[in-house]
C-alpha cells in the first residue's frame, strides 16, 4: 500500500515539474516574440494547381467518355450529362422534364421492377440517380469497386431501358403537386421566383413555374417521347472516376454501351432568346404576416465567357462578404440589414442576372434599397481602393483551390466545360485574368455592365408596416399576385 502511494506521489511530482517547465518556456517565448496583427501576416504564394491525369475518348456511337483513376478509396463514381433541359419542354406542360428525370429512376427498367432496382442497390450500399434541370440532364452512380460490374450494368439499364412505370409517374405528380401547394411558405423563395419572372418574363423558359394545370396534362406517353428525343449515346458525355483499371473500365463501357445505336438525326434545339422583359420598376408582393422585407434588386446579366468575367468576379469580392462594401456600409455602419449581398451571377450559355438584396426590418425597407443603389453607383463613379482590390483578389484566388477538392469535382468540371463548349483550361485562364485585374478594370466593368437605370426592385413584405412607403422610390409600384391557381378539377 505504502509503495503504491509513494509511486503515485513521485508520478504526480514529475507531472507538476513538467507542467511548470512548459509554462516557463511558453511564457519566455511569448515575451521574446511579439504577436502580430492578422494584417501583418505574410503567407506563402498559392501553389500551382494541376489537373489529375485523365483519359478522354469517343465510342463508335458518338458517346464521349472521360476516365480518371483515383485509388485512394475503394469507390467508383460515374456521371453522364445529357444535352437536354426543361427549357425545351412545351409551355403547357411545364414540369415534364423534371418528371422524366424523376421517374426514369423510380419507375424501374424493362428488365427489373422499381423494387428490384432499389433492392439491388441497397444490398450493395450503392446509388443510381437521374435528374433533369434547366439546361442539363444527369445520370449518376456510386458503388464500391468490388460491385462495379453489377452496379454499372444496372446503371446502363436505367439509362437505356427505363420503364416509366405509370404508378410511379402518378406518385411523382402528386409529390410535385405538394410542392406547388407549399411554394409560398418561404418569402425568400417567393422573391427568387417572382424576380425571375419580372426579369425574364412570365412565359420565359428561365422563369416558368409548374402549375396544377400543366401537371394534369402530362402523360406517360409524354415522358417516353421526351426521353426518346434526347437520350441516345451521341447526345451525352460519360465520366467515371475512382478505383478501377482504365483498360478493364473501357471494356466494361464497351460491353454495356457500345451497341447502343446512335441517333442519325441528333436534336439540336435552339436556345431560347433572352431579353429583359421589363426595363425597370418597383414590384411588390404583399405578405401581411411578415415582420421584415425580403428584397431583390437587379437586371439582366451575362455569361461566363464574357471577356470581362474576371473583373466582374473581383467586383463581386469588393461588394460581398465580411469586409465587402455592402456588409461594411449597409449592415455594419447603417445597421439596415440582417443579411445583404450583391453579385454578378453569369450563366454558361445564356444571360444570367446581376442581383443585390437581402432582408431588413419593414420600416427600413426604402432606406435599405436606396443604400444599395448608392453603392452600385459608387462602383461606377470612383475606382476601388488598393486595399479593397487586394482583399477582393485574395479572396477570389484563395478560393480557387476549392474547385479541385476531389477528383470527382475536377472531372465534373471538365465535362461541364465540354458540354457548354468552353475550353478545358477555362478555369486556369480565369485565374490568370484575376491576378492581372486592376482597379481601373473593375471600374470599367462596373461602368459597362451595371445599369442603375435598368434596375428592377422587388419587395416581399408587409405593406402596412413598410413606412415610408415604396411610392417614395417610384411613381408606380406594381403589385404581384402570387395566389396559387386551383387544380383543374376544382375550377368552376
Amino acid at each position: 500500500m505504502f509503495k503504491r502511494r509513494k509511486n503515485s506521489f513521485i508520478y504526480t511530482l514529475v507531472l507538476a515539474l513538467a507542467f511548470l517547465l512548459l509554462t516557463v518556456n511558453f511564457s519566455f517565448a511569448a515575451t521574446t516574440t511579439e504577436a502580430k496583427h492578422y494584417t501583418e501576416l505574410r503567407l506563402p504564394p498559392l501553389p500551382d494547381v494541376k489537373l489529375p491525369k485523365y483519359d478522354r475518348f469517343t465510342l463508335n456511337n458518338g458517346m464521349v467518355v472521360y476516365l480518371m483513376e483515383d485509388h485512394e478509396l475503394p469507390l467508383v463514381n460515374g456521371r453522364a450529362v445529357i444535352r437536354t433541359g426543361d427549357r425545351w419542354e412545351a409551355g403547357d406542360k411545364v414540369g415534364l422534364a423534371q418528371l422524366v428525370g424523376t421517374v426514369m429512376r423510380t419507375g424501374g427498367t424493362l428488365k427489373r421492377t422499381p423494387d428490384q432496382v432499389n433492392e439491388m442497390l441497397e444490398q450493395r450500399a450503392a446509388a443510381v440517380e437521374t435528374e433533369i434541370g434547366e439546361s442539363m440532364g444527369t445520370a449518376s452512380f456510386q458503388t464500391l469497386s468490388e460491385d462495379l460490374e453489377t452496379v454499372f450494368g444496372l446503371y446502363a439499364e436505367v439509362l437505356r431501358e427505363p420503364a416509366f412505370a405509370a404508378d410511379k409517374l402518378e406518385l411523382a405528380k402528386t409529390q410535385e403537386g405538394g410542392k406547388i401547394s407549399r411554394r409560398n411558405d418561404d418569402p425568400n423563395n417567393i422573391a427568387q421566383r417572382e424576380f425571375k419572372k419580372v426579369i425574364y418574363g412570365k412565359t420565359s423558359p428561365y422563369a416558368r413555374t409548374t402549375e396544377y394545370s400543366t401537371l394534369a396534362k402530362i402523360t406517360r406517353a409524354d415522358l417516353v417521347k421526351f426521353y426518346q428525343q434526347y437520350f441516345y449515346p451521341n447526345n451525352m458525355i460519360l465520366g467515371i472516376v475512382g478505383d478501377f483499371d482504365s483498360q478493364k473500365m473501357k471494356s466494361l463501357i464497351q460491353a454495356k454501351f457500345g451497341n447502343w445505336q446512335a441517333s442519325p438525326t441528333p436534336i439540336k434545339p435552339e436556345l431560347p432568346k433572352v431579353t429583359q422583359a421589363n426595363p425597370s420598376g418597383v414590384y411588390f408582393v404583399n405578405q401581411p404576416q411578415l415582420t421584415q422585407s425580403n428584397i431583390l434588386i437587379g437586371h439582366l446579366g451575362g455569361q461566363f465567357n464574357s471577356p470581362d468575367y474576371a473583373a466582374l468576379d473581383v467586383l463581386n469580392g469588393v461588394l460581398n462578404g465580411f469586409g465587402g462594401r455592402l456588409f461594411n456600409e449597409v449592415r455594419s455602419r447603417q445597421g439596415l440589414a440582417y443579411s445583404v449581398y450583391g453579385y454578378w451571377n453569369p450563366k454558361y450559355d445564356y444571360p444570367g442576372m446581376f442581383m443585390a438584396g437581402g432582408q431588413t426590418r419593414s420600416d427600413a425597407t426604402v432606406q435599405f434599397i436606396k443604400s444599395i443603389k448608392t453603392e452600385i453607383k459608387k462602383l461606377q463613379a470612383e475606382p476601388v481602393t488598393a486595399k479593397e482590390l487586394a482583399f477582393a483578389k485574395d479572396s477570389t484566388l484563395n478560393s480557387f483551390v476549392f474547385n479541385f477538392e476531389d477528383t470527382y469535382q475536377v472531372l465534373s468540371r471538365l465535362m461541364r466545360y465540354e458540354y457548354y463548349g468552353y475550353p478545358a483550361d477555362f478555369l486556369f485562364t480565369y485565374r490568370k485574368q484575376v491576378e492581372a485585374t486592376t482597379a481601373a478594370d473593375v471600374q470599367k466593368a462596373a461602368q459597362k455592365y451595371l445599369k442603375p437605370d435598368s434596375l428592377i426592385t422587388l419587395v416581399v413584405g408587409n405593406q402596412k408596416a413598410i413606412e415610408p412607403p415604396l411610392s417614395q422610390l417610384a411613381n408606380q409600384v406594381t403589385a404581384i399576385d402570387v395566389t396559387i391557381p386551383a387544380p383543374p378539377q376544382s375550377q368552376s
Side-chain angles (χ1 to χ4, degrees):
M1 176 74 71
F2 175 77
K3 187 175 182 180
R4 283 200 300 270
R5 287 180 180 176
K6 182 178 179 182
N7 289 341
S8 176
F9 172 76
I10 294 172
Y11 179 69
T12 303
L13 183 61
V14 170
L15 282 178
L17 288 171
F19 177 77
L20 182 61
L21 288 171
L22 285 171
T23 303
V24 170
N25 286 340
F26 281 129
S27 299
F28 179 75
T31 56
T32 56
T33 304
E34 185 179 351
K36 292 184 177 180
H37 191 266
Y38 77 94
T39 57
E40 298 177 302
L41 296 176
R42 295 293 177 264
L43 301 176
L46 293 172
D48 288 334
V49 177
K50 296 181 179 180
L51 291 177
K53 181 181 178 182
Y54 67 91
D55 190 11
R56 181 196 178 280
F57 58 95
T58 305
L59 300 182
N60 290 335
N61 57 17
M63 178 184 281
V64 175
V65 181
Y66 282 82
L67 296 181
M68 186 179 288
E69 292 187 30
D70 181 356
H71 301 285
E72 185 175 357
L73 294 171
L75 296 173
V76 180
N77 289 280
R79 184 171 186 254
V81 293
I82 301 94
R83 299 184 189 281
T84 184
D86 63 29
R87 57 185 174 183
W88 289 306
E89 64 192 4
D92 63 341
K93 294 184 179 181
V94 176
L96 170 60
Q98 181 179 339
L99 289 174
V100 173
T102 299
V103 185
M104 189 174 169
R105 165 61 183 86
T106 63
T109 72
L110 297 182
K111 296 176 182 175
R112 292 176 174 82
T113 66
D115 288 343
Q116 288 172 333
V117 172
N118 292 335
E119 186 177 345
M120 282 186 66
L121 293 171
E122 289 170 3
Q123 288 174 345
R124 294 163 178 80
V128 172
E129 302 295 340
T130 57
E131 182 181 6
I132 298 180
E134 181 180 81
S135 60
M136 178 188 291
T138 61
S140 60
F141 73 88
Q142 183 180 53
T143 180
L144 292 169
S145 49
E146 65 185 35
D147 297 320
L148 174 59
E149 188 168 343
T150 300
V151 174
F152 190 71
L154 181 59
Y155 172 71
E157 277 185 41
V158 171
L159 259 177
R160 296 183 59 175
E161 304 174 294
F164 294 114
D167 60 329
K168 296 301 181 182
L169 170 59
E170 291 308 311
L171 175 61
K173 289 171 71 171
T174 299
Q175 292 171 333
E176 191 60 32
K179 293 178 185 177
I180 294 173
S181 69
R182 298 188 298 273
R183 72 183 182 197
N184 288 338
D185 291 354
D186 184 344
N188 185 56
N189 288 345
I190 296 174
Q192 295 285 339
R193 183 185 72 234
E194 298 303 321
F195 191 70
K196 284 184 179 180
K197 290 182 180 181
V198 178
I199 295 289
Y200 292 111
K202 292 181 180 180
T203 61
S204 168
Y206 301 114
R208 297 180 304 204
T209 52
T210 305
E211 302 289 354
Y212 293 121
S213 59
T214 63
L215 273 181
K217 293 179 181 178
I218 298 171
T219 65
R220 181 183 177 278
D222 293 321
L223 270 66
V224 173
K225 181 180 179 182
F226 191 95
Y227 168 83
Q228 292 173 342
Q229 282 182 303
Y230 297 100
F231 283 77
Y232 37 84
N234 48 329
N235 198 41
M236 64 179 65
I237 305 169
L238 172 65
I240 302 175
V241 61
D243 183 31
F244 58 80
D245 175 79
S246 289
Q247 290 305 314
K248 291 181 180 179
M249 192 72 242
K250 288 179 181 179
S251 298
L252 184 58
I253 293 170
Q254 182 64 37
K256 299 302 179 182
F257 289 107
N259 65 348
W260 193 6
Q261 293 299 310
S263 171
T265 55
I267 192 168
K268 294 182 179 179
E270 291 186 11
L271 294 178
K273 296 189 183 302
V274 175
T275 57
Q276 184 160 319
N278 297 280
S280 61
V282 178
Y283 295 80
F284 180 67
V285 179
N286 188 30
Q287 296 286 282
Q289 77 279 9
L290 297 181
T291 57
Q292 66 178 32
S293 293
N294 287 260
I295 300 162
L296 284 175
I297 304 166
H299 53 66
L300 198 65
Q303 299 179 193
F304 282 109
N305 56 5
S306 163
D308 299 309
Y309 168 53
L312 288 163
D313 214 23
V314 174
L315 181 148
N316 286 349
V318 172
L319 277 177
N320 275 303
F322 293 100
R325 285 189 177 185
L326 292 178
F327 183 91
N328 289 343
E329 179 63 23
V330 181
R331 188 181 188 277
S332 297
R333 197 185 75 78
Q334 297 185 40
L336 293 176
Y338 308 123
S339 69
V340 62
Y341 53 84
Y343 54 93
W344 185 261
N345 185 27
K347 300 294 184 180
Y348 281 99
D349 61 359
Y350 74 92
M353 296 183 285
F354 168 71
M355 298 175 64
Q359 292 80 42
T360 188
R361 63 185 190 275
S362 298
D363 64 355
T365 301
V366 170
Q367 189 180 353
F368 176 88
I369 293 168
K370 288 181 177 179
S371 295
I372 287 184
K373 290 183 176 181
T374 296
E375 293 305 315
I376 293 171
K377 291 179 180 178
K378 276 185 182 179
L379 284 169
Q380 297 180 314
E382 54 194 50
V384 298
T385 66
K387 183 178 180 180
E388 286 178 313
L389 180 67
F391 174 82
K393 289 173 66 172
D394 286 348
S395 299
T396 303
L397 293 170
N398 288 338
S399 65
F400 182 79
V401 294
F402 295 107
N403 294 296
F404 305 89
E405 287 186 277
D406 56 62
T407 49
Y408 184 75
Q409 185 182 39
V410 174
L411 186 60
S412 295
R413 184 173 291 278
L414 286 171
M415 294 165 62
R416 193 182 315 132
Y417 287 157
E418 178 162 349
Y419 181 90
Y420 289 111
Y422 281 63
D425 65 345
F426 173 77
L427 200 60
F428 294 96
T429 303
Y430 153 80
R431 178 182 181 177
K432 292 178 182 176
Q433 291 171 342
V434 169
E435 291 172 339
T437 297
T438 65
D441 294 330
V442 175
Q443 186 180 16
K444 287 178 183 177
Q447 292 170 344
K448 182 177 179 180
Y449 294 95
L450 300 186
K451 304 182 186 303
D453 294 334
S454 298
L455 288 172
I456 297 291
T457 301
L458 185 140
V459 178
V460 179
N462 183 342
Q463 185 174 13
K464 292 183 178 178
I466 295 176
E467 188 62 41
L470 295 177
S471 56
Q472 277 205 2
L473 300 172
N475 293 329
Q476 179 180 350
V477 177
T478 304
I480 296 176
D481 183 6
V482 294
T483 303
I484 301 169
Q489 63 269 24
S490 300
Q491 295 174 343
S492 56

